Amino acid sequence: MLKLYENIKKLVQYGINTGLTPECERIYTTNLLLDLFQENDYEDSTCDLSKIVLEDVLKELLDEACSRGIIEDSVVHRDLFDTKLMNCLMPRPAQVQKSFWEDYAVSPEHATEKYYKFSQDSDYIRRYRIKKDRKWTVDTDYGTLDITINLSKPEKDPKAIAAARNAKNSAYPKCQLCMENEGYAGRANHPARENHRIIPITINESAWGFQYSPYVYYNEHCIVFNGEHTPMKIDRAAFIKLFDFVKQFPHYFLGSNADLPIVGGSILSHDHFQGGHYTFAMAKAPVVESFTVKGYEDVTAGIVKWPLSVIRLQCADETRIIDLAEYILKAWRDYTDEAAFIFAETEGQPHNTITPIARKRGELYELDLTLRNNITTEEHPLGVYHPHGKLHHIKKENIGLIEVMGLAVLPARLKGELELLKEYILEGKDIRSEECIEKHADWVEEFLPQYPDVNAENIEEILQKEVGKVFCQVLEDAGVYKYTPKGLEAFRRFIGTL
């Protein structure tokens, strides 16, 4: 019992230390936490409050909840309950919004910096899980690419999978990007969001929400989402929305996944964008060939040196960029070039769309338009402009906005597979003899001869470098026009139609 009281005291102190909980609410917050443990008594205890580690305190409280039979001992139920615990420390949404706009009056950067810290302090962004992600960079002909192996999403155990399967289907909230997630207790097949606070903003004269991704892949990785559950669509309105946000938060970029399957993101059912305070390799990539579009001579346009096919537009007046972007989008939607294997549609299915990214660069507004096509063939059933089969051992998933900009989000399975590969390579074992890494055998046989001296000191660096090369190939596969003389010639043919 005393241990419970100590951990409740530590959690409340954590709330006070981080500013989540005002000192005057110490008793109130303590009582909220006692109620969750169905505990009527409390004794103030002496304990060390100098170094409070949130992960450790929550673990002990969750263990107590399990031992009391309040929750099941599974990842899903522990995550649902610790979110409930954190909500006891939290200010109400109106207070968070008020603080945000007061900070915004100082500067947009001040507001987002504090809101980002708040989203971490509240454990909505679980710092201790994000730290587990593997991250490194790889230099390529296109610049320095970012590589991550995502380990922050907890792997579900069999009990959790069964619970999710048996959970009652619910249409509330309609998806994980809906406004209705704010404060939602969650269920076995939907994450808890009781410690989630959304900042309402106006985009293109309509109600939108601003929040951070709980699985931050880069600094201040934010999500900007429509207040209504409406499908994603790339059109003139999408370009207006991107710049509406960038005008309000000029230190952030904002981009959109494409609006077609295969080349789109994982959630096409809810209109949303992703942005943040980070400069990707794509933004640093130079324009290698400039061009002018008749009627839009005031807008600087050019082809970007990048593995995907990117047109960059710049102008001090964002409305002129929007006008030209709409013109290019319409032209691309209807464009077919059989010699380059570009088809606007087949059997009534449209294939051409765009992944746009907006930012402010000094006094100029800038928009990158990444040309996308989702056609499939018998040889490439998952997509011609998608990671090809020989690369699936590293990356098989769709190439969405984040990858387009030069950050690989690789599956968690790679952590264990790469560790095992190190062992097999160093000990000269047969990689094909081990089922879980057999798929990497051809790849290893291809690159290993390039390294005459492979040892325990350099094997990690070698594997990271080679994974980075694969990701670069992944991006090249996703480019509708390859960065080659022939590919650039085909790219110019499209530009010539504008």
Side-chain angles (χ1 to χ4, degrees):
M1 198 73 73
L2 193 60
K3 196 68 177 170
L4 172 64
Y5 299 158
E6 283 183 9
N7 282 309
I8 285 177
K9 185 174 182 177
K10 285 180 180 179
L11 189 59
V12 174
Q13 189 62 49
Y14 169 87
I16 292 167
N17 291 349
T18 55
L20 295 173
T21 311
E23 174 62 47
C24 64
E25 292 182 9
R26 182 186 291 273
I27 294 171
Y28 171 78
T29 306
T30 300
N31 287 333
L32 289 179
L33 290 165
L34 287 170
D35 181 56
L36 290 184
F37 286 92
Q38 300 163 18
E39 186 61 53
N40 296 320
D41 294 321
Y42 180 72
E43 291 177 22
D44 193 12
S45 55
T46 302
C47 56
D48 183 7
L49 299 177
S50 61
K51 291 181 181 178
I52 299 171
V53 179
L54 180 62
E55 182 181 13
D56 296 344
V57 174
L58 288 176
K59 182 187 180 302
E60 293 197 19
L61 287 170
L62 290 169
D63 289 345
E64 180 68 23
C66 291
S67 70
R68 291 182 175 222
I70 295 170
I71 61 168
E72 287 181 33
D73 191 4
S74 71
V75 171
V76 167
H77 287 95
R78 290 172 76 96
D79 278 5
L80 291 171
F81 194 73
D82 72 3
T83 306
K84 201 179 290 288
L85 294 174
M86 290 305 299
N87 189 45
C88 293
L89 312 181
M90 300 280 291
R92 301 278 286 195
Q95 293 170 273
V96 177
Q97 293 167 29
K98 182 173 181 288
S99 294
F100 181 87
W101 293 114
E102 286 172 352
D103 293 332
Y104 185 88
V106 177
S107 77
E109 198 161 347
H110 180 62
T112 55
E113 189 178 290
K114 285 190 68 175
Y115 178 46
Y116 187 57
K117 180 180 180 297
F118 169 84
S119 299
Q120 294 174 89
D121 289 342
S122 67
D123 210 37
Y124 169 70
I125 297 172
R126 298 170 186 259
R127 285 188 181 103
Y128 43 88
R129 286 189 184 164
I130 303 298
K131 282 180 182 175
K132 295 176 183 176
D133 290 348
R134 293 285 181 87
K135 299 182 180 184
W136 67 92
T137 60
V138 174
D139 293 332
T140 71
D141 291 341
Y142 305 100
T144 303
L145 302 181
D146 293 298
I147 314 295
T148 66
I149 297 178
N150 175 36
L151 302 170
S152 53
K153 286 186 182 179
E155 293 188 34
K156 292 185 177 180
D157 57 33
K159 284 195 291 185
I161 294 168
R165 186 174 58 244
N166 297 329
K168 181 184 175 185
N169 285 329
S170 171
Y172 181 87
K174 290 188 176 72
C175 78
Q176 291 185 29
L177 290 178
C178 286
M179 287 283 193
E180 289 79 7
N181 281 279
E182 187 175 44
Y184 187 61
R187 52 185 190 268
N189 56 2
H190 193 103
R193 291 290 182 256
E194 286 170 299
N195 59 346
H196 182 32
R197 301 292 182 265
I198 296 167
I199 305 299
I201 59 174
T202 301
I203 299 287
N204 196 22
E205 301 180 350
S206 58
W208 281 60
F210 170 58
Q211 66 180 55
Y212 290 106
S213 165
Y215 309 110
V216 286
Y217 294 129
Y218 51 87
N219 187 49
E220 295 180 38
H221 176 185
C222 72
I223 300 173
V224 179
F225 58 99
N226 200 315
E228 300 294 325
H229 183 75
T230 185
M232 286 184 63
K233 189 178 181 184
I234 301 299
D235 55 9
R236 179 184 179 84
F239 302 140
I240 292 171
K241 292 167 192 170
L242 290 175
F243 282 114
D244 264 10
F245 179 84
V246 169
K247 281 189 285 184
Q248 293 178 64
F249 300 93
H251 59 298
Y252 272 23
F253 78 87
L254 194 68
S256 176
N257 274 304
D259 55 355
L260 292 177
I262 295 176
V263 294
S266 57
I267 303 178
L268 296 178
S269 61
H270 196 124
D271 191 15
H272 72 285
F273 306 123
Q274 294 180 81
H277 199 187
Y278 189 72
T279 304
F280 287 90
M282 182 188 190
K284 298 175 187 175
V287 168
V288 289
E289 197 167 307
S290 297
F291 62 89
T292 303
V293 179
K294 189 176 179 181
Y296 302 92
E297 290 83 2
D298 55 328
V299 181
T300 302
I303 295 172
V304 178
K305 183 183 179 181
W306 195 242
L308 286 94
S309 310
V310 181
I311 294 172
R312 179 168 293 161
L313 307 179
Q314 279 187 336
C315 189
D317 180 358
E318 84 283 356
T319 60
R320 293 295 290 155
I321 295 179
I322 291 165
D323 291 342
L324 180 51
E326 181 186 26
Y327 177 70
I328 293 172
L329 174 65
K330 286 179 177 176
W332 178 245
R333 294 266 195 213
D334 296 332
Y335 185 72
T336 291
D337 180 352
E338 293 187 18
F341 205 76
I342 304 292
F343 295 89
E345 60 89 24
T346 55
E347 298 177 359
Q349 292 296 315
H351 296 306
N352 290 346
T353 185
I354 278 175
T355 299
I357 301 107
R359 64 183 77 90
K360 189 106 186 282
R361 199 186 289 269
E363 296 303 307
L364 298 176
Y365 288 99
E366 186 171 278
L367 185 67
D368 284 350
L369 301 173
T370 310
L371 306 181
R372 311 298 302 274
N373 180 289
N374 76 347
I375 196 167
T376 60
T377 61
E378 283 188 19
E379 184 186 359
H380 302 292
L382 297 181
V384 172
Y385 305 108
H386 177 87
H388 289 178
K390 67 172 290 191
L391 309 179
H392 288 180
H393 65 104
I394 298 292
K395 178 71 173 176
K396 184 178 181 180
E397 299 79 12
N398 291 357
I399 301 307
L401 171 68
I402 294 173
E403 282 95 353
V404 163
M405 295 186 291
L407 189 155
V409 181
L410 302 178
R413 63 172 171 82
L414 278 176
K415 177 180 178 284
E417 290 172 10
L418 292 176
E419 287 297 323
L420 202 54
L421 268 181
K422 279 197 279 188
E423 177 192 320
Y424 272 61
I425 291 170
L426 290 174
E427 296 179 13
K429 294 183 188 176
D430 180 10
I431 292 169
R432 296 183 194 279
S433 68
E434 175 53 56
E435 188 180 354
C436 80
I437 57 171
E438 181 188 5
K439 57 181 170 287
H440 298 300
D442 289 347
W443 171 56
V444 173
E445 286 172 7
E446 195 175 298
F447 75 70
L448 208 55
Q450 300 168 35
Y451 300 94
D453 179 27
V454 179
N455 54 60
E457 280 70 45
N458 66 12
I459 184 66
E460 175 95 9
E461 184 184 346
I462 289 170
L463 283 173
Q464 288 186 349
K465 182 179 179 181
E466 292 302 322
V467 167
K469 285 183 182 178
V470 170
F471 178 59
C472 191
Q473 286 181 275
V474 160
L475 295 183
E476 288 174 336
D477 284 353
V480 294
Y481 299 117
K482 309 310 175 192
Y483 193 73
T484 62
K486 185 179 178 182
L488 288 171
E489 182 185 338
F491 202 162
R492 292 186 199 106
R493 284 202 297 273
F494 168 64
I495 290 167
T497 67
L498 299 175

